[in-house]
Amino acid sequence: MNSKSMKLYEVAHSRAGDKGNTSNLSLIPYKEEDYEWLGKVVTAEKVKEHLKDIIDGEVIRYDVASIKAYNFVCKNSLLGGVTTSLALDTHGKSLSSALLEMEVNLPS
């Protein structure tokens, strides 16, 4: 990590949910003023790349401006889903922590 970057956990928190083989990850900045620049650096493509060993499907980002948050829907990310997966984390709750490990560039 260089001096102009940081991990997401330093500026935001996250929650995870699941439906079948799809994981839902929120990204909520601690400070509302960080919402805009986070939207520029935390794209669906960047999340897909960061979690490339976990997510086999499409990642769609929904901007929830009314509450200054982002929602990432990650398809094919739970090894089949809760009832069919042999994974230790069948609900994908640890994916929120994995997302927060993503390194992002600070705004200029």
Side-chain angles (χ1 to χ4, degrees):
M1 193 163 53
N2 66 49
S3 62
K4 295 189 179 201
S5 65
M6 65 173 46
K7 300 276 183 137
L8 279 178
Y9 65 76
E10 296 181 62
V11 292
H13 60 98
S14 179
R15 299 281 299 195
D18 66 281
K19 191 65 164 178
N21 196 22
T22 300
S23 182
N24 202 17
L25 302 172
S26 65
L27 182 65
I28 306 160
Y30 296 127
K31 298 177 184 174
E32 286 187 3
E33 58 265 23
D34 290 335
Y35 174 76
E36 294 297 327
W37 76 265
L38 279 173
K40 292 176 184 171
V41 297
V42 187
T43 63
E45 295 78 20
K46 296 272 186 181
V47 170
K48 169 95 172 160
E49 175 61 25
H50 177 67
L51 299 173
K52 67 182 178 231
D53 295 330
I54 300 168
I55 300 171
D56 287 333
E58 179 182 20
V59 175
I60 304 165
R61 184 181 90 178
Y62 294 94
D63 300 8
V64 191
S66 60
I67 60 168
K68 303 290 190 236
Y70 298 98
N71 184 39
F72 295 90
V73 176
C74 308
K75 298 183 179 185
N76 296 323
S77 57
L78 297 174
L79 299 175
V82 175
T83 58
T84 60
S85 177
L86 296 176
L88 292 176
D89 182 13
T90 57
H91 292 276
K93 298 300 183 189
S94 63
L95 290 180
S96 59
S97 294
L99 174 64
L100 293 175
E101 283 293 323
M102 184 173 155
E103 190 173 309
V104 295
N105 292 322
L106 292 167
S108 352

